[in-house]
Amino acid sequence: MKYVSTRGQTDPVSFREAVAIGLAPDGGLFLPETLPDISPRLPGWRNLSYTELCAEFLGLFATDVPPEVLQQLIHRSYGAFTHPEIAPLRKIDDRLYVLELFHGPTLAFKDFALQFLGNLYGWECEQTGRTINVLGATSGDTGAAAIHGLLGKPKAASFILYPEGRVSPLQERQMTCTGAANVHAIAIDGSFDDAQRVLKDIFANKTFATQHRLSAVNSINIARVLAQSVYYLHAWLRLPEAERGNVEFVVPTGNFGNVFAGWLLQQMGVPVMGYKVATNRNDILHRLFTTAEYRSGEVHPSLAPSMDIQVASNFERFLYYALDENPTRVNNVMAQIKATGAYRFDLLNRSLFSSSSASDDEITSLIRRVYERYRYIVDPHTACAFKDINPQRISIVLATAHPAKFPAAIRDAIGQEPTSPVLEVLKTRPVVKHRLPAEAEAIKAFIAQRAI
């Protein structure tokens, strides 16, 4: 299978090439040239384990990775997850399920993609003999998951940008307390959107990116999106057959990558009825699906910091399909968004997508309400998903992080402070970070000195 850029000015590449490059040279995002129809395969996939399903699904896309190698990488990626089902689906009410995505090494859903991507990078370095320097921007969980996906990979280094003071203390410690020499946590002055802008500026300098063998670890990397699609598929297959035709996935998201991964399955023939986008006070996606206008605004710090985003990078992939896979139209729209910060759709499928937005006060109330009603503790991001659940649907809420990562928010809501042994260890380790301005030249100079 080949991969094309949303902007149409890059020649089609293989899966391994798309993963290694990350961001397409023309500034676009890679997507499969064609999406397979997987509906005939669904009955045969019904009883597969998570790793078996992952191998079957990713095998349709990673066609230049030998099947036995792909299976090894998958087993290595999910072997460290602490729950035997890897992504357990818990029923907490008659029509309400929670898909727990926090049983990985950094207790967040990003582990599903970044454990796999880290192992894929490691194998690629072994095959080619070349080193790789992974560059990412994070609003909280991506950075920790990317770093831990690359720990122990001798030919790989990670450079992770994050907004100083705008991630939770434990999220920061997961990035800055590893003690690994190949990990570089860079705290920038500004927001996540500033970090993401700097990242794109650096990748736009093709000479620099090639010279230092840079690869993108953000959700702009197609391997991340495809790896995340698997847990939607696994959850859907785990439902009673009578419920599968009326399913709505409720997804806390700021960057659109997580919900896009689920939406792709619907495009491949999985009969999902809808997707609900749950945001915090930084509600660009909620406004998109209620007004049909994409308009960025100011980023406001919140209790759900991983969603403190006003530039949803994966929106471009959705835009590509919404504009009939026409790269010329995508280029025109992206140019308009860059110039004005806004784009209005003539037609947007709001029957498939719904949305909601939760303020900080509502997040606190939702954590309390979920605990009182279900005796279940959710983190602030997952709490956003419990606002305005559709009673007519079978709802699957994606629990995107372990509540122990946000102890202050949980304590304020229910008077309890959840803990995790993984996080408690971090509290005793020294913080190692680098404070830099949100400027491409400053970050490039830093990378040039430390790239392997």
Side-chain angles (χ1 to χ4, degrees):
M1 178 177 287
K2 292 294 185 180
Y3 292 78
V4 296
S5 169
T6 52
R7 303 194 186 182
Q9 297 171 25
T10 295
D11 291 336
V13 298
S14 69
F15 175 77
R16 288 170 63 179
E17 289 171 323
V19 170
I21 297 167
L23 186 69
D26 60 9
L29 306 180
F30 284 117
L31 281 168
E33 198 165 34
T34 57
L35 291 175
D37 177 7
I38 64 173
S39 56
R41 302 172 185 265
L42 296 177
W45 286 352
R46 186 174 303 158
N47 297 316
L48 297 182
S49 69
Y50 192 91
T51 53
E52 290 169 338
L53 180 64
C54 197
E56 290 287 332
F57 181 79
L58 292 180
L60 301 176
F61 300 93
T63 52
D64 54 344
V65 178
E68 65 277 9
V69 171
L70 184 61
Q71 289 181 16
Q72 291 169 5
L73 296 176
I74 289 168
H75 283 282
R76 195 178 305 157
S77 299
Y78 301 115
F81 279 57
T82 57
H83 196 286
E85 294 179 40
I86 299 175
L89 184 66
R90 293 189 53 171
K91 188 171 187 176
I92 65 171
D93 206 350
D94 286 345
R95 305 173 72 84
L96 181 60
Y97 293 81
V98 175
L99 179 59
E100 293 185 343
L101 302 177
F102 50 71
H103 295 287
T106 70
L107 312 181
F109 79 99
K110 304 291 178 73
D111 287 323
F112 282 85
L114 288 165
Q115 283 292 305
F116 173 68
L117 186 56
N119 283 306
L120 191 59
Y121 279 142
W123 175 73
E124 191 68 35
C125 290
E126 290 173 1
Q127 297 302 300
T128 63
R130 294 192 293 267
T131 58
I132 192 168
N133 293 288
V134 171
L135 177 60
T138 184
S139 55
D141 288 327
T142 292
I147 285 168
H148 284 263
L150 290 168
L151 285 180
K153 307 293 189 295
K155 293 182 179 291
S158 56
F159 296 84
I160 303 297
L161 314 180
Y162 70 95
E164 171 68 16
R166 297 196 181 195
V167 301
S168 82
L170 285 173
Q171 284 177 317
E172 183 175 49
R173 282 192 168 273
Q174 286 184 308
M175 293 185 279
T176 61
C177 298
T178 66
N182 68 333
V183 170
H184 307 286
I186 303 171
I188 61 117
D189 299 317
S191 68
F192 167 75
D193 291 335
D194 294 318
Q196 191 163 249
R197 170 183 51 77
V198 169
L199 180 145
K200 289 190 173 184
D201 287 346
I202 292 172
F203 276 106
N205 186 326
K206 299 179 183 64
T207 301
F208 183 86
T210 301
Q211 178 184 356
H212 296 290
R213 300 169 301 284
L214 295 184
S215 184
V217 75
N218 277 48
S219 54
I220 56 179
N221 196 305
I222 186 60
R224 280 195 54 185
V225 173
L226 295 173
Q228 289 175 222
S229 295
V230 178
Y231 52 69
Y232 285 91
L233 181 57
H234 188 257
W236 185 85
L237 289 168
R238 285 293 178 273
L239 288 173
E241 190 167 355
E243 295 183 348
R244 291 184 198 146
N246 188 31
V247 174
E248 179 172 76
F249 285 99
V250 190
V251 190
T253 185
N255 210 12
F256 203 70
N258 199 6
V259 72
F260 178 79
W263 178 79
L264 271 185
L265 287 178
Q266 204 259 1
Q267 306 306 297
M268 297 181 212
V270 181
V272 176
M273 286 294 291
Y275 299 87
K276 182 183 174 186
V277 173
T279 70
N280 62 7
R281 62 186 298 198
N282 297 289
D283 59 351
I284 183 172
L285 295 177
H286 175 51
R287 287 183 280 114
L288 168 66
F289 290 112
T290 53
T291 69
E293 182 180 55
Y294 178 94
R295 179 178 292 275
S296 58
E298 182 181 353
V299 178
H300 301 283
S302 79
L303 289 179
S306 295
M307 299 194 297
D308 290 348
I309 296 168
Q310 283 289 320
V311 179
S313 61
N314 266 285
F315 175 66
E316 182 169 339
R317 284 191 167 110
F318 176 69
L319 189 67
Y320 177 79
Y321 292 110
L323 298 177
D324 301 320
E325 303 180 32
N326 186 323
T328 301
R329 295 177 68 190
V330 173
N331 272 293
N332 292 338
V333 171
M334 294 309 297
Q336 179 181 329
I337 290 174
K338 185 174 182 179
T340 68
Y343 173 73
R344 177 170 287 280
F345 283 84
D346 294 328
L347 181 65
L348 188 64
N349 188 349
R350 292 185 233 177
S351 62
L352 183 62
F353 284 101
S354 60
S355 64
S356 63
S357 171
S359 67
D360 277 2
D361 287 344
E362 288 176 311
I363 288 173
T364 300
S365 297
L366 286 162
I367 294 171
R368 184 181 304 118
R369 190 177 79 194
V370 170
Y371 180 69
E372 290 174 348
R373 183 173 298 179
Y374 307 115
R375 283 294 181 256
Y376 190 80
I377 302 176
V378 294
D379 82 286
H381 305 80
T382 305
C384 295
F386 281 87
K387 182 177 178 180
D388 300 331
I389 293 284
N390 186 344
Q392 303 304 315
R393 293 272 173 86
I394 302 298
S395 295
I396 299 179
V397 169
L398 272 60
T400 54
H402 195 290
K405 298 184 77 168
F406 307 92
I410 306 303
R411 184 178 60 247
D412 290 345
I414 63 172
Q416 297 185 32
E417 189 168 311
T419 61
S420 162
V422 173
L423 299 177
E424 291 303 305
V425 171
L426 295 176
K427 296 177 182 179
T428 65
R429 295 179 180 173
V431 170
V432 179
K433 65 180 179 180
H434 307 273
R435 186 80 178 266
L436 292 173
E439 299 171 1
E441 291 305 314
I443 307 300
K444 283 164 59 181
F446 182 91
I447 292 171
Q449 292 177 352
R450 295 165 176 81
I452 63 174

